[in-house]
Amino acid sequence: MKTYRVGLYDSDLDYADALMNYANIHRDMGITMIQFTGMNEVSDYLEDQDLDLILTSDSGSFSETEDGSFFQGVKACVLTDYRGASGGWQIDRASTPYIYKFKRVEQICEEVRSLISEKKDVREIHSINAVYSPIGRCGKTRLAKALVCDDGVRGGLYVSVENFSENSDSLNSNLLFLLKTNSPELEEVLSSEIHLANGFHSLCLSGIYMDMRDVTIDDMERLKASLLKTGRFTTIVFDLGSSVLSDLRILSLFDRIYMPILEDDVSERKVLVFERMLKDMGLRSLMTKVVKVNVPDVDENSAEMERVLWRLEGGED
């Protein structure tokens, strides 16, 4: 079972201390709590450390988005003594989620875990994911193609957005020009540029990263809408080169961001630098979408790769 790190602040410090101690002693509940004496202290902690959730009686500095309540990019929930909340908890995009504080700690921890791992309602059967990593030679393209091949519903689409394409013909593509000019021809040309090879469909947006760096977050929204409009694919995976994005907010448009990693010291430090950069840019919430993956050096259709994909889909913690 994965253990989540939860920041805890309640105006009743004795209550918070008791809750933290009980949760931390009973590790089988999958929660590690860190107690704070105020939200300023939480803010200081987040300068260098991370939390999966903030549970607090002080919601005055929460920011509300369509994805829920956040404090400095970390998902947040109100710990309340309002008895109207005693029947359970709520996730309502029109209001801040809350948990009633005077219930069994086991139930509080269960609701905390549910809130951290909640999934958005999906009205259409599709997912648009990215494979992106600040390190090289880590199996990024191999993982992206494996995720596409794993789609057993309507099939997947592999979208190549690498620093440099292996296909020189991609230098002649005008897809990004049509996208930037909001051309009515975009959808037709997109469909004609999608090719079937090696058992999966693929699309190359551009042959070099410099073209892609002109793409804005609004442009990418239009591209997503155009790809979904075809209705042909249930999984779309963008293989993103480390240099292609001029605006890292574009990563927020994806349902998941799979990040291949390596375990050597240099690679680990690069990932830490990338994460620190997200925090400094006010994009800490992106880290909740990141799924780190050790990609085996095997074919994308191999049994070992299938086991990796199975774990990514929740086959084991």
Side-chain angles (χ1 to χ4, degrees):
M1 175 185 292
K2 181 175 180 179
T3 299
Y4 293 113
R5 291 166 59 86
V6 176
L8 173 65
Y9 165 62
D10 189 84
S11 55
D12 185 342
L13 297 180
D14 290 336
Y15 166 84
D17 186 62
L19 175 61
M20 178 191 68
N21 288 334
Y22 190 94
N24 291 349
I25 289 172
H26 296 81
R27 293 298 181 92
D28 58 319
M29 292 189 292
I31 298 291
T32 296
M33 289 190 176
I34 303 167
Q35 185 184 359
F36 299 95
T37 57
M39 296 305 288
N40 287 337
E41 189 176 340
V42 177
S43 181
D44 292 340
Y45 180 87
L46 290 174
E47 288 184 6
D48 298 306
Q49 302 292 328
D50 286 307
L51 297 167
D52 294 298
L53 181 79
I54 296 169
L55 189 60
T56 176
S57 60
D58 180 4
S59 61
S61 51
F62 286 7
S63 59
E64 304 296 334
T65 73
E66 63 177 12
D67 295 322
S69 299
F70 292 85
F71 177 79
Q72 296 191 3
V74 178
K75 188 176 291 188
C77 176
V78 172
L79 189 62
T80 178
D81 56 5
Y82 171 55
R83 291 189 176 277
S86 61
W89 64 302
Q90 70 172 27
I91 299 176
D92 184 346
R93 290 181 181 177
S95 59
T96 300
Y98 57 72
I99 293 176
Y100 181 59
K101 64 193 290 185
F102 297 118
K103 60 174 64 176
R104 295 173 61 242
V105 178
E106 291 86 350
Q107 190 173 354
I108 291 175
C109 289
E110 180 181 351
E111 292 172 2
V112 164
R113 287 183 59 87
S114 297
L115 181 57
I116 293 171
S117 60
E118 66 160 327
K119 297 181 179 179
K120 296 181 182 178
D121 294 333
V122 178
R123 304 208 179 269
E124 298 182 68
I125 304 176
H126 67 256
S127 63
I128 301 183
N129 302 316
V131 182
Y132 179 87
S133 181
I135 59 180
R137 311 301 297 175
C138 56
K140 178 173 65 68
T141 295
R142 194 161 58 247
L143 176 62
K145 291 179 178 180
L147 289 165
V148 167
C149 293
D150 192 51
D151 186 300
V153 185
R154 291 199 300 267
L157 173 66
Y158 167 79
V159 182
S160 175
V161 199
E162 298 186 271
N163 293 342
F164 293 95
S165 173
E166 63 184 33
N167 183 0
S168 61
D169 291 340
S170 62
L171 293 171
N172 301 320
S173 173
N174 66 341
L175 279 174
L176 294 184
F177 172 77
L178 297 176
L179 178 63
K180 290 294 296 181
T181 58
N182 203 15
S183 170
E185 300 177 13
L186 176 63
E187 292 176 13
E188 180 181 350
V189 176
L190 270 176
S191 294
S192 68
E193 291 288 326
I194 293 174
H195 302 291
L196 177 62
N198 301 317
F200 60 90
H201 288 87
S202 63
L203 170 70
C204 182
L205 289 184
S206 176
I208 51 176
Y209 71 92
M210 289 85 86
D211 290 343
M212 185 64 190
R213 288 182 68 82
D214 288 330
V215 174
T216 67
I217 191 168
D218 292 333
D219 295 332
M220 187 60 79
E221 284 274 23
R222 285 197 300 275
L223 178 61
K224 282 180 52 180
S226 297
L227 290 172
L228 289 175
K229 202 169 183 179
T230 67
R232 295 171 59 184
F233 309 104
T234 44
T235 300
I236 300 175
V237 179
F238 282 69
D239 181 2
L240 297 174
S242 58
S243 301
V244 300
L245 300 180
S246 61
D247 185 353
L248 287 177
R249 293 181 303 158
I250 289 174
L251 291 174
S252 67
L253 301 179
F254 298 100
D255 299 319
R256 282 187 178 181
I257 305 163
Y258 294 100
M259 181 184 290
I261 58 173
L262 298 173
E263 295 182 344
D264 61 280
D265 290 342
V266 172
S267 297
E268 290 178 351
R269 288 199 297 270
K270 287 185 178 182
V271 171
L272 289 174
V273 168
F274 174 73
E275 293 175 340
R276 180 58 187 264
M277 181 182 67
L278 290 181
K279 297 174 189 176
D280 292 345
M281 295 175 66
L283 298 175
R284 182 192 295 269
S285 60
L286 280 180
M287 294 169 61
T288 64
K289 294 190 174 191
V290 171
V291 180
K292 295 178 180 177
V293 191
N294 282 297
V295 182
D297 188 11
V298 296
D299 183 83
E300 55 260 26
N301 295 309
S302 69
E304 187 175 354
M305 185 66 82
E306 288 181 1
R307 286 194 292 271
V308 170
L309 298 179
W310 179 70
R311 288 195 296 269
L312 290 178
E313 291 303 316
E316 63 183 53
D317 291 321

